[in-house]
Amino acid sequence: MSQQQHDPKPLPEQELADIVEHVEDVSPERNGLDRLVSRGARGAAWMILLAMAISVVEVFLRYGFNSPTSWVHESVVFLIAISFALGGPAAMARNSHIRVKVLYDNVGPRLRGWMDRFNDLVTLGFCLAMSYAAFTMFWTASHSPLGEWRLERSGTSWNPPFPALVKGMILFALALMTLQALLHLIQSLRARPGREVR
């Protein structure tokens, strides 16, 4: 007894286009800024690969040629810190931050809408407070006590201004998250709780 094997039929182009359009419609990004941040985050993720490549070169130079460098460790820490800071806006853009949804999954759509509004409001308040703290931290890292522009340096033999630059990137990431949270709150306030999309 032989079994017949069916080759899957290729989908017509129009059906395939409809599937792609549907996938793009259910994208987790809520607005144009989120889509822009997601694209930028994909580019910033390459900094991890660059940090790894620099580390490999350092190991090769140190153990292969007994010629260690003074700049690799700080450069790798700088690149990883920047990619870590940019992870916040990326997670917010794709709605992929960690959350406990036990209560959220067990209520109706109307209460979910109000919970979304509350969550967006709390997120905005948190991001505003953290942005203020980051601004204070960056200001002290970029200005002398007399108010003159002076970037904080690492204090090593290479002595790059990476501490001030990392604090500036943290401020940028938190300011971006604040803007994202504000846009999310506006969107959730405009949405009508209780109306499910069919």
Side-chain angles (χ1 to χ4, degrees), residues 160-178:
F162 286 167
L165 297 177
V166 167
K167 291 173 185 177
M169 187 55 69
I170 291 170
L171 173 60
F172 170 76
L174 284 166
L176 185 57
M177 288 176 69
T178 301

Side-chain angles (χ1 to χ4, degrees), residues 12-29:
E13 282 187 41
Q14 183 58 39
E15 191 175 328
L16 189 60
D18 291 341
I19 291 170
V20 169
E21 186 177 324
H22 177 70
V23 168
E24 288 175 351
D25 286 344
V26 295
S27 171
E29 292 96 351

Side-chain angles (χ1 to χ4, degrees), residues 69-107:
T69 64
S70 61
W71 58 271
V72 168
H73 176 72
E74 289 179 288
S75 298
V76 168
V77 169
F78 175 69
L79 291 169
I80 299 298
I82 287 177
S83 63
F84 184 78
L86 294 175
M92 185 176 274
R94 297 200 46 83
N95 198 24
S96 59
H97 43 277
I98 297 171
R99 64 175 72 175
V100 179
K101 295 179 23 172
V102 174
L103 182 60
Y104 189 81
D105 287 343
N106 291 314
V107 298

Side-chain angles (χ1 to χ4, degrees), residues 14-65:
Q14 183 58 39
E15 191 175 328
L16 189 60
D18 291 341
I19 291 170
V20 169
E21 186 177 324
H22 177 70
V23 168
E24 288 175 351
D25 286 344
V26 295
S27 171
E29 292 96 351
R30 292 168 70 173
N31 54 48
L33 178 62
D34 287 346
R35 286 186 287 279
L36 183 67
V37 168
S38 289
R39 285 190 193 119
R42 282 192 287 272
W46 286 96
M47 286 190 287
I48 303 292
L49 185 63
L50 179 60
M52 184 208 66
I54 292 171
S55 297
V56 168
V57 168
E58 169 66 8
V59 169
F60 185 70
L61 288 174
R62 179 181 298 255
Y63 297 106
F65 294 100

